[in-house]
Amino acid sequence: MTDRPLAPADCTTMAEVRAGVDALDRELVALLATRFGYMRAAARIKPSRDAVRDEERKASVIAAAVAEAEAHGIPGEVVADIWERLVEGSIAYEFTEWDKVRS
């Protein structure tokens, strides 16, 4: 096996599947770290604590993720559940960061 995992269609063993999933999970966490960096930036930029929670933006973000999921042929309802948790966690993080920046 090379340093890069096989594409899903090329896997023939569970070891190859697991190596691919583990590699992808590391990439996803790195992407989440960048996403949370944007939450820190938002906390720094937003003028008031009331601006942190934006239900219209939350709905838009989740809808966009569902549409993207469906375009990739994966279950939109699963992605909606994941994004609900991601966005709520991001909002909570942003509140913490907003308070930290101004303390």
Side-chain angles (χ1 to χ4, degrees), residues 1 5-6 11-23:
M1 188 173 231
L6 295 173
C11 293
T12 58
T13 69
M14 283 308 300
E16 292 167 342
V17 169
R18 289 176 180 144
V21 168
D22 292 347

PDB file of all heavy atoms in Angstrom, residues 1 5-6 11-23:
ATOM      1  N   MET A   1       0.848  -1.195   0.000  1.00  0.00           N
ATOM      2  CA  MET A   1       0.000   0.000   0.000  1.00  0.00           C
ATOM      3  C   MET A   1       0.888   1.252   0.000  1.00  0.00           C
ATOM      4  O   MET A   1       1.895   1.319   0.674  1.00  0.00           O
ATOM      5  CB  MET A   1      -0.904  -0.032   1.228  1.00  0.00           C
ATOM      6  CG  MET A   1      -1.947   1.035   1.232  1.00  0.00           C
ATOM      7  SD  MET A   1      -3.098   0.796   2.613  1.00  0.00           S
ATOM      8  CE  MET A   1      -4.588   0.881   1.712  1.00  0.00           C
ATOM      9  N   PRO A   5      -4.177   6.544   0.409  1.00  0.00           N
ATOM     10  CA  PRO A   5      -5.096   5.404   0.397  1.00  0.00           C
ATOM     11  C   PRO A   5      -5.685   5.197  -1.000  1.00  0.00           C
ATOM     12  O   PRO A   5      -5.695   6.111  -1.827  1.00  0.00           O
ATOM     13  CB  PRO A   5      -6.175   5.812   1.393  1.00  0.00           C
ATOM     14  CG  PRO A   5      -6.109   7.289   1.461  1.00  0.00           C
ATOM     15  CD  PRO A   5      -4.681   7.669   1.179  1.00  0.00           C
ATOM     16  N   LEU A   6      -6.178   4.016  -1.222  1.00  0.00           N
ATOM     17  CA  LEU A   6      -6.844   3.712  -2.478  1.00  0.00           C
ATOM     18  C   LEU A   6      -8.177   4.446  -2.572  1.00  0.00           C
ATOM     19  O   LEU A   6      -8.799   4.758  -1.549  1.00  0.00           O
ATOM     20  CB  LEU A   6      -7.108   2.208  -2.572  1.00  0.00           C
ATOM     21  CG  LEU A   6      -5.890   1.297  -2.636  1.00  0.00           C
ATOM     22  CD1 LEU A   6      -6.324  -0.167  -2.546  1.00  0.00           C
ATOM     23  CD2 LEU A   6      -5.095   1.537  -3.903  1.00  0.00           C
ATOM     24  N   CYS A  11     -10.701  -0.415  -3.504  1.00  0.00           N
ATOM     25  CA  CYS A  11     -10.475  -1.210  -2.297  1.00  0.00           C
ATOM     26  C   CYS A  11     -11.000  -2.628  -2.489  1.00  0.00           C
ATOM     27  O   CYS A  11     -12.103  -2.832  -3.010  1.00  0.00           O
ATOM     28  CB  CYS A  11     -11.171  -0.573  -1.093  1.00  0.00           C
ATOM     29  SG  CYS A  11     -10.481   1.010  -0.594  1.00  0.00           S
ATOM     30  N   THR A  12     -10.193  -3.572  -2.041  1.00  0.00           N
ATOM     31  CA  THR A  12     -10.609  -4.984  -2.111  1.00  0.00           C
ATOM     32  C   THR A  12     -10.555  -5.651  -0.745  1.00  0.00           C
ATOM     33  O   THR A  12     -10.975  -6.793  -0.615  1.00  0.00           O
ATOM     34  CB  THR A  12      -9.723  -5.766  -3.102  1.00  0.00           C
ATOM     35  OG1 THR A  12      -8.359  -5.668  -2.694  1.00  0.00           O
ATOM     36  CG2 THR A  12      -9.888  -5.238  -4.523  1.00  0.00           C
ATOM     37  N   THR A  13     -10.036  -4.953   0.258  1.00  0.00           N
ATOM     38  CA  THR A  13      -9.969  -5.507   1.609  1.00  0.00           C
ATOM     39  C   THR A  13     -10.479  -4.483   2.606  1.00  0.00           C
ATOM     40  O   THR A  13     -10.463  -3.268   2.333  1.00  0.00           O
ATOM     41  CB  THR A  13      -8.521  -5.885   2.000  1.00  0.00           C
ATOM     42  OG1 THR A  13      -7.762  -4.667   2.150  1.00  0.00           O
ATOM     43  CG2 THR A  13      -7.870  -6.804   0.970  1.00  0.00           C
ATOM     44  N   MET A  14     -10.899  -4.960   3.764  1.00  0.00           N
ATOM     45  CA  MET A  14     -11.326  -4.042   4.816  1.00  0.00           C
ATOM     46  C   MET A  14     -10.164  -3.211   5.327  1.00  0.00           C
ATOM     47  O   MET A  14     -10.353  -2.063   5.724  1.00  0.00           O
ATOM     48  CB  MET A  14     -12.000  -4.811   5.961  1.00  0.00           C
ATOM     49  CG  MET A  14     -13.419  -5.251   5.646  1.00  0.00           C
ATOM     50  SD  MET A  14     -14.482  -3.902   5.042  1.00  0.00           S
ATOM     51  CE  MET A  14     -14.438  -2.758   6.415  1.00  0.00           C
ATOM     52  N   ALA A  15      -8.964  -3.736   5.301  1.00  0.00           N
ATOM     53  CA  ALA A  15      -7.794  -2.951   5.721  1.00  0.00           C
ATOM     54  C   ALA A  15      -7.637  -1.731   4.821  1.00  0.00           C
ATOM     55  O   ALA A  15      -7.334  -0.629   5.305  1.00  0.00           O
ATOM     56  CB  ALA A  15      -6.533  -3.809   5.706  1.00  0.00           C
ATOM     57  N   GLU A  16      -7.862  -1.902   3.534  1.00  0.00           N
ATOM     58  CA  GLU A  16      -7.761  -0.773   2.603  1.00  0.00           C
ATOM     59  C   GLU A  16      -8.886   0.229   2.846  1.00  0.00           C
ATOM     60  O   GLU A  16      -8.664   1.446   2.826  1.00  0.00           O
ATOM     61  CB  GLU A  16      -7.792  -1.283   1.156  1.00  0.00           C
ATOM     62  CG  GLU A  16      -6.557  -2.077   0.783  1.00  0.00           C
ATOM     63  CD  GLU A  16      -6.700  -2.840  -0.520  1.00  0.00           C
ATOM     64  OE1 GLU A  16      -7.840  -3.052  -1.002  1.00  0.00           O
ATOM     65  OE2 GLU A  16      -5.653  -3.231  -1.067  1.00  0.00           O
ATOM     66  N   VAL A  17     -10.095  -0.275   3.080  1.00  0.00           N
ATOM     67  CA  VAL A  17     -11.222   0.616   3.384  1.00  0.00           C
ATOM     68  C   VAL A  17     -10.933   1.411   4.647  1.00  0.00           C
ATOM     69  O   VAL A  17     -11.100   2.641   4.688  1.00  0.00           O
ATOM     70  CB  VAL A  17     -12.531  -0.202   3.547  1.00  0.00           C
ATOM     71  CG1 VAL A  17     -13.643   0.662   4.135  1.00  0.00           C
ATOM     72  CG2 VAL A  17     -12.958  -0.806   2.215  1.00  0.00           C
ATOM     73  N   ARG A  18     -10.486   0.729   5.691  1.00  0.00           N
ATOM     74  CA  ARG A  18     -10.214   1.406   6.968  1.00  0.00           C
ATOM     75  C   ARG A  18      -9.088   2.419   6.840  1.00  0.00           C
ATOM     76  O   ARG A  18      -9.157   3.506   7.429  1.00  0.00           O
ATOM     77  CB  ARG A  18      -9.913   0.373   8.042  1.00  0.00           C
ATOM     78  CG  ARG A  18     -11.160  -0.396   8.430  1.00  0.00           C
ATOM     79  CD  ARG A  18     -10.877  -1.496   9.413  1.00  0.00           C
ATOM     80  NE  ARG A  18     -12.133  -2.181   9.737  1.00  0.00           N
ATOM     81  CZ  ARG A  18     -12.238  -3.472   9.955  1.00  0.00           C
ATOM     82  NH1 ARG A  18     -11.163  -4.245   9.927  1.00  0.00           N
ATOM     83  NH2 ARG A  18     -13.406  -4.003  10.225  1.00  0.00           N
ATOM     84  N   ALA A  19      -8.061   2.091   6.064  1.00  0.00           N
ATOM     85  CA  ALA A  19      -6.967   3.050   5.847  1.00  0.00           C
ATOM     86  C   ALA A  19      -7.491   4.296   5.145  1.00  0.00           C
ATOM     87  O   ALA A  19      -7.115   5.423   5.494  1.00  0.00           O
ATOM     88  CB  ALA A  19      -5.845   2.400   5.040  1.00  0.00           C
ATOM     89  N   GLY A  20      -8.389   4.101   4.182  1.00  0.00           N
ATOM     90  CA  GLY A  20      -8.972   5.243   3.482  1.00  0.00           C
ATOM     91  C   GLY A  20      -9.832   6.088   4.398  1.00  0.00           C
ATOM     92  O   GLY A  20      -9.756   7.318   4.388  1.00  0.00           O
ATOM     93  N   VAL A  21     -10.653   5.446   5.213  1.00  0.00           N
ATOM     94  CA  VAL A  21     -11.513   6.176   6.150  1.00  0.00           C
ATOM     95  C   VAL A  21     -10.656   6.940   7.162  1.00  0.00           C
ATOM     96  O   VAL A  21     -10.920   8.117   7.442  1.00  0.00           O
ATOM     97  CB  VAL A  21     -12.491   5.208   6.855  1.00  0.00           C
ATOM     98  CG1 VAL A  21     -13.182   5.892   8.034  1.00  0.00           C
ATOM     99  CG2 VAL A  21     -13.521   4.679   5.865  1.00  0.00           C
ATOM    100  N   ASP A  22      -9.625   6.293   7.697  1.00  0.00           N
ATOM    101  CA  ASP A  22      -8.765   6.964   8.680  1.00  0.00           C
ATOM    102  C   ASP A  22      -8.066   8.179   8.076  1.00  0.00           C
ATOM    103  O   ASP A  22      -7.982   9.238   8.710  1.00  0.00           O
ATOM    104  CB  ASP A  22      -7.725   5.987   9.243  1.00  0.00           C
ATOM    105  CG  ASP A  22      -8.349   4.895  10.106  1.00  0.00           C
ATOM    106  OD1 ASP A  22      -9.536   5.011  10.476  1.00  0.00           O
ATOM    107  OD2 ASP A  22      -7.628   3.906  10.404  1.00  0.00           O
ATOM    108  N   ALA A  23      -7.579   8.040   6.846  1.00  0.00           N
ATOM    109  CA  ALA A  23      -6.915   9.160   6.176  1.00  0.00           C
ATOM    110  C   ALA A  23      -7.907  10.299   5.933  1.00  0.00           C
ATOM    111  O   ALA A  23      -7.590  11.471   6.158  1.00  0.00           O
ATOM    112  CB  ALA A  23      -6.294   8.701   4.864  1.00  0.00           C
TER     113      ALA A  23
END
